[in-house]
Amino acid sequence: MEEVLTNPKAGFYINRDVFGAEGDFITSPEVSQMFGEMVGVWAMCLWEQMGQPKKINLVELGPGRGTLLADLLRGASKFRNFTDSLHIHMVECSPTLKKLQYQNLMCINKNDTDGDAEEHSISRLTGTSVSWHATLEQVPAGIPTIIIAHEFYDALPVHQFQRASRGWCEKMVDVAENSMFQFVLSKQPTPATLYLLKRFKWAENEDIGKLEQVEVCPKAIELTQEIAKRIGSDGGGALIIDYGLNGIVSDSLQAIRKHGFVNILDDPGTADLSAYVDFAAIRHSAEEASDDVAVNGPMTQSQFLGSLGINFRVEALMENCTDEQADSLRTGYWRLVGEGEAPFWEGPEGQAPIGMGTRYLAMTIVNKKQGVPIPFQ
Protein backbone atom coordinates (compact mmCIF):
# COMPACT_ATOMS: atom_id res chain seq x y z
CA MET A 1 0.00 0.00 0.00
CA GLU A 2 2.82 2.37 0.90
CA GLU A 3 4.71 1.50 -2.31
CA VAL A 4 1.63 1.99 -4.49
CA LEU A 5 0.95 5.44 -3.02
CA THR A 6 4.40 6.93 -2.39
CA ASN A 7 7.01 5.05 -4.42
CA PRO A 8 9.37 7.85 -5.59
CA LYS A 9 9.07 6.81 -9.26
CA ALA A 10 5.64 5.24 -9.71
CA GLY A 11 3.66 6.21 -6.59
CA PHE A 12 0.09 7.35 -7.11
CA TYR A 13 0.56 10.64 -5.21
CA ILE A 14 4.03 11.44 -6.45
CA ASN A 15 3.66 12.62 -10.05
CA ARG A 16 0.09 13.80 -10.38
CA ASP A 17 -2.61 16.07 -9.04
CA VAL A 18 -5.17 13.50 -7.89
CA PHE A 19 -7.66 15.89 -6.27
CA GLY A 20 -10.85 17.56 -7.50
CA ALA A 21 -13.28 16.96 -10.34
CA GLU A 22 -10.54 16.18 -12.88
CA GLY A 23 -8.63 13.91 -10.49
CA ASP A 24 -9.52 10.64 -8.84
CA PHE A 25 -11.48 11.81 -5.81
CA ILE A 26 -12.82 14.98 -4.20
CA THR A 27 -11.97 15.96 -0.61
CA SER A 28 -13.87 18.38 1.65
CA PRO A 29 -11.60 21.43 1.05
CA GLU A 30 -12.13 21.00 -2.72
CA VAL A 31 -15.91 20.95 -2.14
CA SER A 32 -16.26 24.33 -0.44
CA GLN A 33 -14.18 27.16 1.03
CA MET A 34 -16.32 26.86 4.20
CA PHE A 35 -14.48 23.70 5.27
CA GLY A 36 -11.10 25.44 5.59
CA GLU A 37 -12.78 28.46 7.19
CA MET A 38 -14.38 26.31 9.91
CA VAL A 39 -11.10 24.50 10.59
CA GLY A 40 -9.63 28.01 10.93
CA VAL A 41 -12.28 28.89 13.54
CA TRP A 42 -11.34 25.73 15.45
CA ALA A 43 -7.60 26.53 15.28
CA MET A 44 -8.10 30.13 16.36
CA CYS A 45 -10.25 29.09 19.34
CA LEU A 46 -7.60 26.57 20.39
CA TRP A 47 -4.93 29.29 20.09
CA GLU A 48 -7.04 31.50 22.39
CA GLN A 49 -7.40 28.64 24.89
CA MET A 50 -3.60 28.28 24.78
CA GLY A 51 -3.31 31.89 25.95
CA GLN A 52 -2.64 33.41 22.50
CA PRO A 53 1.05 32.46 22.28
CA LYS A 54 3.20 34.80 20.16
CA LYS A 55 4.69 31.90 18.16
CA ILE A 56 3.07 28.63 17.15
CA ASN A 57 3.60 25.95 14.53
CA LEU A 58 0.59 25.23 12.33
CA VAL A 59 1.25 21.86 10.72
CA GLU A 60 -0.80 20.15 8.03
CA LEU A 61 -0.14 16.49 7.27
CA GLY A 62 -0.69 15.66 3.59
CA PRO A 63 -2.05 19.06 2.56
CA GLY A 64 -3.25 17.99 -0.93
CA ARG A 65 -3.38 21.10 -3.11
CA GLY A 66 -3.05 23.40 -0.11
CA THR A 67 -6.71 24.42 -0.44
CA LEU A 68 -7.61 23.90 3.23
CA LEU A 69 -4.81 26.14 4.54
CA ALA A 70 -5.40 28.76 1.82
CA ASP A 71 -9.07 29.01 2.86
CA LEU A 72 -8.07 28.99 6.55
CA LEU A 73 -5.64 31.89 6.04
CA ARG A 74 -8.09 33.94 3.94
CA GLY A 75 -10.77 33.44 6.58
CA ALA A 76 -8.43 34.36 9.44
CA SER A 77 -6.67 37.25 7.67
CA LYS A 78 -8.52 39.95 9.68
CA PHE A 79 -7.24 38.44 12.96
CA ARG A 80 -3.69 39.72 12.74
CA ASN A 81 -2.59 38.58 16.21
CA PHE A 82 -3.42 35.01 15.21
CA THR A 83 -1.91 35.02 11.70
CA ASP A 84 1.22 36.86 12.91
CA SER A 85 1.86 34.06 15.44
CA LEU A 86 1.83 31.30 12.80
CA HIS A 87 4.67 29.45 11.16
CA ILE A 88 3.13 27.01 8.67
CA HIS A 89 4.72 23.61 8.14
CA MET A 90 3.54 21.43 5.25
CA VAL A 91 4.33 17.72 5.63
CA GLU A 92 4.36 16.49 2.02
CA CYS A 93 6.30 13.91 0.00
CA SER A 94 4.97 14.66 -3.52
CA PRO A 95 6.97 17.18 -5.62
CA THR A 96 3.89 17.78 -7.81
CA LEU A 97 1.67 18.63 -4.85
CA LYS A 98 4.39 20.79 -3.24
CA LYS A 99 4.34 23.02 -6.34
CA LEU A 100 0.54 23.28 -6.21
CA GLN A 101 0.63 24.14 -2.50
CA TYR A 102 3.26 26.81 -3.16
CA GLN A 103 0.97 28.36 -5.82
CA ASN A 104 -2.29 28.08 -3.84
CA LEU A 105 -0.79 29.65 -0.72
CA MET A 106 0.46 32.41 -3.06
CA CYS A 107 4.00 31.92 -1.79
CA ILE A 108 7.03 33.99 -2.63
CA ASN A 109 10.58 33.34 -1.54
CA LYS A 110 11.93 35.62 1.14
CA ASN A 111 14.19 37.22 -1.45
CA ASP A 112 11.08 38.15 -3.52
CA THR A 113 11.62 35.78 -6.43
CA ASP A 114 9.13 33.12 -7.41
CA GLY A 115 10.49 29.60 -7.63
CA ASP A 116 10.87 26.34 -5.87
CA ALA A 117 12.44 27.57 -2.64
CA GLU A 118 10.88 25.33 -0.06
CA GLU A 119 12.99 26.53 2.83
CA HIS A 120 12.07 30.18 3.23
CA SER A 121 8.74 31.04 1.67
CA ILE A 122 6.08 33.53 2.71
CA SER A 123 2.37 33.27 1.92
CA ARG A 124 1.16 36.53 0.41
CA LEU A 125 -2.30 35.76 1.82
CA THR A 126 -1.23 36.80 5.35
CA GLY A 127 2.56 37.28 5.29
CA THR A 128 2.96 33.98 7.15
CA SER A 129 6.16 31.97 6.70
CA VAL A 130 5.76 28.51 5.13
CA SER A 131 8.15 25.53 5.19
CA TRP A 132 7.95 22.05 3.69
CA HIS A 133 9.07 18.76 5.29
CA ALA A 134 8.96 15.10 4.31
CA THR A 135 7.89 13.93 7.78
CA LEU A 136 6.40 15.33 11.01
CA GLU A 137 9.67 14.50 12.80
CA GLN A 138 11.42 17.16 10.70
CA VAL A 139 9.09 19.94 11.92
CA PRO A 140 10.97 21.93 14.60
CA ALA A 141 9.76 21.13 18.13
CA GLY A 142 9.85 23.29 21.26
CA ILE A 143 6.94 25.68 20.61
CA PRO A 144 3.16 25.08 20.84
CA THR A 145 1.86 23.23 17.79
CA ILE A 146 -1.51 22.85 16.09
CA ILE A 147 -1.64 19.84 13.77
CA ILE A 148 -4.30 19.23 11.12
CA ALA A 149 -4.66 15.74 9.67
CA HIS A 150 -7.52 15.82 7.19
CA GLU A 151 -7.89 12.65 5.13
CA PHE A 152 -4.31 11.73 6.00
CA TYR A 153 -4.76 8.68 8.21
CA ASP A 154 -6.87 6.85 5.60
CA ALA A 155 -3.86 6.62 3.25
CA LEU A 156 -1.52 5.08 5.87
CA PRO A 157 -0.77 1.43 5.04
CA VAL A 158 -2.91 -1.18 6.77
CA HIS A 159 -2.26 -4.85 7.48
CA GLN A 160 -5.20 -7.20 6.99
CA PHE A 161 -5.64 -10.35 9.04
CA GLN A 162 -8.02 -13.20 8.28
CA ARG A 163 -9.28 -15.87 10.62
CA ALA A 164 -8.15 -19.33 9.43
CA SER A 165 -8.12 -22.84 10.92
CA ARG A 166 -4.58 -22.17 12.22
CA GLY A 167 -5.55 -18.85 13.83
CA TRP A 168 -5.22 -15.27 12.57
CA CYS A 169 -3.11 -15.08 9.38
CA GLU A 170 -1.92 -11.94 7.63
CA LYS A 171 -3.16 -11.39 4.09
CA MET A 172 -0.11 -10.89 1.84
CA VAL A 173 0.37 -9.99 -1.83
CA ASP A 174 2.04 -12.64 -3.99
CA VAL A 175 2.69 -13.14 -7.71
CA ALA A 176 0.56 -15.80 -9.41
CA GLU A 177 1.74 -18.13 -12.20
CA ASN A 178 0.33 -15.74 -14.82
CA SER A 179 2.53 -12.95 -13.34
CA MET A 180 -0.51 -11.13 -11.91
CA PHE A 181 -0.73 -10.15 -8.24
CA GLN A 182 -2.88 -12.24 -5.92
CA PHE A 183 -3.70 -12.36 -2.20
CA VAL A 184 -2.39 -15.24 -0.07
CA LEU A 185 -2.43 -15.99 3.67
CA SER A 186 0.82 -16.02 5.65
CA LYS A 187 2.01 -19.44 6.76
CA GLN A 188 3.44 -18.17 10.07
CA PRO A 189 3.11 -15.08 12.29
CA THR A 190 4.34 -11.81 10.70
CA PRO A 191 5.82 -8.73 12.43
CA ALA A 192 2.45 -6.96 12.24
CA THR A 193 0.93 -9.69 14.44
CA LEU A 194 2.26 -7.69 17.43
CA TYR A 195 -0.04 -4.83 16.44
CA LEU A 196 -2.97 -7.21 16.01
CA LEU A 197 -2.43 -8.43 19.59
CA LYS A 198 -2.17 -4.82 20.81
CA ARG A 199 -5.44 -3.98 19.03
CA PHE A 200 -7.19 -7.00 20.57
CA LYS A 201 -5.93 -5.93 24.02
CA TRP A 202 -7.62 -2.54 23.53
CA ALA A 203 -10.88 -4.10 22.35
CA GLU A 204 -12.37 -4.86 25.76
CA ASN A 205 -16.02 -4.42 24.80
CA GLU A 206 -15.83 -5.14 21.11
CA ASP A 207 -16.85 -8.61 20.08
CA ILE A 208 -13.80 -10.05 18.32
CA GLY A 209 -15.41 -13.49 18.22
CA LYS A 210 -17.75 -12.46 15.40
CA LEU A 211 -15.02 -11.04 13.16
CA GLU A 212 -13.54 -12.95 10.22
CA GLN A 213 -11.16 -10.13 9.20
CA VAL A 214 -9.37 -7.33 11.04
CA GLU A 215 -7.33 -4.37 9.76
CA VAL A 216 -4.57 -2.79 11.83
CA CYS A 217 -2.49 0.24 10.95
CA PRO A 218 0.91 0.33 12.72
CA LYS A 219 1.80 3.64 11.00
CA ALA A 220 -1.34 5.27 12.45
CA ILE A 221 -0.43 4.04 15.93
CA GLU A 222 3.15 5.34 15.60
CA LEU A 223 2.08 8.69 14.12
CA THR A 224 -0.48 9.20 16.91
CA GLN A 225 2.16 8.44 19.56
CA GLU A 226 4.47 11.02 17.97
CA ILE A 227 1.66 13.63 17.86
CA ALA A 228 0.63 12.95 21.48
CA LYS A 229 4.21 13.20 22.80
CA ARG A 230 4.80 16.48 20.99
CA ILE A 231 1.53 18.04 22.16
CA GLY A 232 2.13 16.71 25.68
CA SER A 233 5.52 18.41 25.88
CA ASP A 234 5.09 21.53 23.69
CA GLY A 235 1.37 22.34 24.12
CA GLY A 236 -1.24 22.70 21.40
CA GLY A 237 -3.53 20.17 19.79
CA ALA A 238 -4.30 18.00 16.78
CA LEU A 239 -7.47 17.77 14.72
CA ILE A 240 -8.07 14.52 12.85
CA ILE A 241 -10.92 14.39 10.33
CA ASP A 242 -11.43 11.28 8.23
CA TYR A 243 -13.87 8.57 7.32
CA GLY A 244 -13.75 5.61 9.64
CA LEU A 245 -15.23 3.88 12.67
CA ASN A 246 -14.97 4.36 16.40
CA GLY A 247 -13.94 0.72 16.80
CA ILE A 248 -12.23 -2.22 15.10
CA VAL A 249 -12.22 -2.06 11.30
CA SER A 250 -12.83 -5.37 9.58
CA ASP A 251 -12.35 -5.12 5.80
CA SER A 252 -12.33 -1.63 4.31
CA LEU A 253 -9.30 -1.37 2.01
CA GLN A 254 -10.44 0.05 -1.33
CA ALA A 255 -9.07 1.41 -4.60
CA ILE A 256 -10.54 4.45 -6.40
CA ARG A 257 -9.71 5.55 -9.94
CA LYS A 258 -11.52 8.42 -11.69
CA HIS A 259 -14.20 8.55 -8.97
CA GLY A 260 -15.05 4.84 -9.28
CA PHE A 261 -14.08 1.72 -7.29
CA VAL A 262 -11.66 -0.72 -8.96
CA ASN A 263 -9.89 -3.95 -7.97
CA ILE A 264 -7.12 -3.23 -5.43
CA LEU A 265 -4.54 -5.27 -7.40
CA ASP A 266 -5.44 -3.81 -10.82
CA ASP A 267 -2.52 -1.82 -12.28
CA PRO A 268 -0.98 -0.69 -8.95
CA GLY A 269 0.06 2.97 -8.84
CA THR A 270 -2.82 4.17 -11.03
CA ALA A 271 -5.52 4.19 -8.33
CA ASP A 272 -5.82 5.66 -4.86
CA LEU A 273 -5.76 3.13 -2.03
CA SER A 274 -7.37 3.97 1.28
CA ALA A 275 -8.88 2.27 4.31
CA TYR A 276 -11.26 3.25 7.10
CA VAL A 277 -9.61 4.93 10.08
CA ASP A 278 -9.86 3.13 13.42
CA PHE A 279 -10.56 6.10 15.73
CA ALA A 280 -10.63 3.91 18.84
CA ALA A 281 -7.04 2.82 18.11
CA ILE A 282 -6.02 6.48 17.73
CA ARG A 283 -7.52 7.23 21.16
CA HIS A 284 -5.69 4.34 22.85
CA SER A 285 -2.40 5.19 21.10
CA ALA A 286 -2.53 8.82 22.25
CA GLU A 287 -3.51 8.01 25.82
CA GLU A 288 -0.76 5.39 26.11
CA ALA A 289 1.89 7.72 24.68
CA SER A 290 1.35 10.70 27.00
CA ASP A 291 -0.37 11.41 30.33
CA ASP A 292 -0.46 15.09 29.41
CA VAL A 293 -2.98 14.87 26.56
CA ALA A 294 -6.75 14.40 26.43
CA VAL A 295 -8.60 12.85 23.49
CA ASN A 296 -12.02 14.24 22.53
CA GLY A 297 -14.51 12.68 20.14
CA PRO A 298 -15.02 11.38 17.64
CA MET A 299 -18.11 13.32 16.61
CA THR A 300 -19.51 13.44 13.09
CA GLN A 301 -18.18 16.03 10.64
CA SER A 302 -21.74 17.36 10.48
CA GLN A 303 -21.81 18.00 14.27
CA PHE A 304 -18.29 19.43 14.20
CA LEU A 305 -18.90 21.94 11.39
CA GLY A 306 -22.40 22.76 12.64
CA SER A 307 -21.12 23.59 16.14
CA LEU A 308 -18.43 25.84 14.65
CA GLY A 309 -21.08 27.91 12.83
CA ILE A 310 -21.09 26.69 9.22
CA ASN A 311 -24.86 27.41 9.08
CA PHE A 312 -24.25 31.10 9.79
CA ARG A 313 -21.38 31.17 7.33
CA VAL A 314 -23.41 29.73 4.46
CA GLU A 315 -26.20 32.26 5.14
CA ALA A 316 -23.72 35.15 5.12
CA LEU A 317 -22.18 33.99 1.83
CA MET A 318 -25.65 33.53 0.29
CA GLU A 319 -26.55 37.17 0.95
CA ASN A 320 -24.45 38.59 -1.85
CA CYS A 321 -23.82 36.02 -4.54
CA THR A 322 -25.06 35.07 -8.02
CA ASP A 323 -27.58 32.26 -8.58
CA GLU A 324 -24.78 30.05 -9.82
CA GLN A 325 -22.68 30.73 -6.71
CA ALA A 326 -25.76 30.05 -4.52
CA ASP A 327 -26.22 26.63 -6.18
CA SER A 328 -22.54 25.87 -5.63
CA LEU A 329 -22.77 26.94 -1.95
CA ARG A 330 -25.88 24.82 -1.36
CA THR A 331 -24.24 21.79 -2.98
CA GLY A 332 -20.99 22.29 -1.06
CA TYR A 333 -22.84 22.75 2.23
CA TRP A 334 -24.83 19.55 1.69
CA ARG A 335 -21.72 17.56 0.81
CA LEU A 336 -20.02 18.69 4.02
CA VAL A 337 -22.87 18.26 6.51
CA GLY A 338 -25.67 16.31 4.79
CA GLU A 339 -26.37 12.59 4.76
CA GLY A 340 -27.15 10.72 1.52
CA GLU A 341 -28.51 12.40 -1.62
CA ALA A 342 -29.38 16.10 -1.49
CA PRO A 343 -33.19 16.55 -1.32
CA PHE A 344 -33.08 19.89 -3.21
CA TRP A 345 -31.29 18.50 -6.29
CA GLU A 346 -33.02 19.30 -9.61
CA GLY A 347 -30.18 18.39 -11.96
CA PRO A 348 -29.53 15.14 -13.90
CA GLU A 349 -30.50 11.92 -12.14
CA GLY A 350 -27.59 10.08 -10.55
CA GLN A 351 -25.56 13.28 -10.17
CA ALA A 352 -27.08 14.57 -6.92
CA PRO A 353 -24.48 15.65 -4.34
CA ILE A 354 -23.91 13.00 -1.68
CA GLY A 355 -23.52 14.20 1.91
CA MET A 356 -20.33 13.23 3.79
CA GLY A 357 -21.54 14.68 7.08
CA THR A 358 -22.00 11.42 8.98
CA ARG A 359 -19.43 9.26 7.19
CA TYR A 360 -16.60 11.51 8.31
CA LEU A 361 -15.60 11.80 11.95
CA ALA A 362 -13.65 14.47 13.84
CA MET A 363 -11.39 13.83 16.83
CA THR A 364 -8.95 16.03 18.75
CA ILE A 365 -5.86 15.34 20.84
CA VAL A 366 -5.00 18.35 23.03
CA ASN A 367 -2.73 19.25 25.92
CA LYS A 368 -4.75 18.78 29.14
CA LYS A 369 -3.67 22.18 30.55
CA GLN A 370 -5.72 23.94 27.89
CA GLY A 371 -9.07 22.42 28.87
CA VAL A 372 -11.59 20.87 26.48
CA PRO A 373 -11.43 22.33 22.94
CA ILE A 374 -14.49 23.59 21.11
CA PRO A 375 -16.85 22.11 20.04
CA PHE A 376 -16.34 19.12 22.36
CA GLN A 377 -17.36 20.87 25.61
Side-chain angles (χ1 to χ4, degrees):
M1 189 170 169
E2 191 167 30
E3 279 298 312
V4 163
L5 294 178
T6 58
N7 177 285
K9 283 200 173 126
F12 177 73
Y13 287 125
I14 298 301
N15 304 311
R16 50 166 80 75
D17 173 14
V18 298
F19 299 93
E22 299 302 310
D24 290 83
F25 53 86
I26 297 174
T27 63
S28 295
E30 304 300 331
V31 162
S32 170
Q33 70 183 66
M34 294 183 288
F35 185 81
E37 290 170 347
M38 293 302 114
V39 172
V41 170
W42 177 82
M44 224 177 325
C45 291
L46 184 66
W47 171 75
E48 287 190 343
Q49 275 184 307
M50 289 154 67
Q52 303 188 359
K54 290 279 180 280
K55 275 180 75 173
I56 65 164
N57 287 331
L58 178 61
V59 181
E60 188 176 4
L61 306 178
R65 287 175 169 169
T67 311
L68 189 158
L69 277 183
D71 291 336
L72 183 155
L73 289 178
R74 280 192 194 95
S77 57
K78 289 191 176 74
F79 302 92
R80 294 302 317 177
N81 286 354
F82 174 65
T83 56
D84 288 351
S85 73
L86 300 177
H87 185 139
I88 289 175
H89 298 274
M90 311 286 259
V91 176
E92 181 57 74
C93 62
S94 161
T96 308
L97 292 176
K98 272 184 200 168
K99 286 199 175 79
L100 278 168
Q101 292 155 14
Y102 187 92
Q103 289 163 12
N104 283 337
L105 288 175
M106 298 179 70
C107 286
I108 51 168
N109 299 345
K110 284 191 176 165
N111 57 6
D112 285 346
T113 57
D114 282 314
D116 192 26
E118 289 167 11
E119 287 313 302
H120 304 289
S121 302
I122 288 180
S123 167
R124 281 175 288 190
L125 296 171
T126 48
T128 307
S129 67
V130 185
S131 310
W132 278 262
H133 314 271
T135 64
L136 177 59
E137 274 173 309
Q138 293 170 8
V139 176
I143 65 168
T145 299
I146 296 177
I147 297 168
I148 297 164
H150 172 259
E151 287 201 49
F152 182 74
Y153 272 81
D154 65 68
L156 297 175
V158 294
H159 294 257
Q160 287 188 326
F161 287 86
Q162 195 167 311
R163 194 193 286 275
S165 55
R166 60 181 181 271
W168 287 96
C169 301
E170 184 169 0
K171 220 170 167 184
M172 319 287 280
V173 178
D174 195 9
V175 182
E177 283 175 12
N178 63 0
S179 296
M180 300 296 279
F181 286 122
Q182 65 177 9
F183 286 118
V184 295
L185 291 182
S186 60
K187 298 230 176 354
Q188 62 266 333
T190 55
T193 308
L194 293 172
Y195 287 91
L196 180 73
L197 297 174
K198 187 191 257 291
R199 187 62 191 89
F200 282 169
K201 187 187 86 183
W202 288 337
E204 318 121 42
N205 307 323
E206 299 170 65
D207 195 358
I208 299 157
K210 291 179 188 161
L211 295 173
E212 293 301 315
Q213 295 203 67
V214 172
E215 283 174 359
V216 291
C217 185
K219 280 268 161 77
I221 292 171
E222 287 159 12
L223 172 66
T224 304
Q225 289 168 341
E226 189 184 341
I227 288 172
K229 283 175 185 160
R230 185 179 287 236
I231 288 164
S233 62
D234 292 351
L239 171 65
I240 299 159
I241 299 182
D242 225 312
Y243 50 91
L245 302 171
N246 192 22
I248 282 188
V249 178
S250 172
D251 179 20
S252 73
L253 182 61
Q254 60 190 27
I256 294 179
R257 185 187 299 128
K258 299 287 173 219
H259 304 282
F261 293 104
V262 293
N263 184 312
I264 292 163
L265 300 178
D266 176 44
D267 203 2
T270 64
D272 178 46
L273 299 184
S274 64
Y276 273 34
V277 175
D278 177 348
F279 279 90
I282 293 178
R283 168 187 291 280
H284 286 291
S285 306
E287 289 172 347
E288 269 188 15
S290 171
D291 292 331
D292 299 312
V293 300
V295 182
N296 299 282
M299 64 167 58
T300 65
Q301 176 170 291
S302 183
Q303 288 170 299
F304 180 76
L305 297 175
S307 305
L308 289 167
I310 194 171
N311 307 10
F312 301 106
R313 183 60 180 146
V314 75
E315 281 169 21
L317 289 169
M318 286 278 211
E319 273 173 15
N320 41 17
C321 65
T322 64
D323 288 351
E324 200 177 322
Q325 286 170 326
D327 284 345
S328 167
L329 280 167
R330 254 193 299 273
T331 300
Y333 175 77
W334 181 263
R335 277 194 163 146
L336 293 177
V337 302
E339 184 177 2
E341 286 197 6
F344 55 78
W345 182 249
E346 292 172 358
E349 209 176 314
Q351 290 179 29
I354 305 291
M356 307 192 255
T358 53
R359 278 188 47 222
Y360 281 70
L361 300 175
M363 176 179 258
T364 61
I365 302 167
V366 296
N367 190 295
K368 278 181 180 168
K369 287 189 194 126
Q370 292 147 208
V372 181
I374 64 148
F376 293 89
Q377 286 106 331

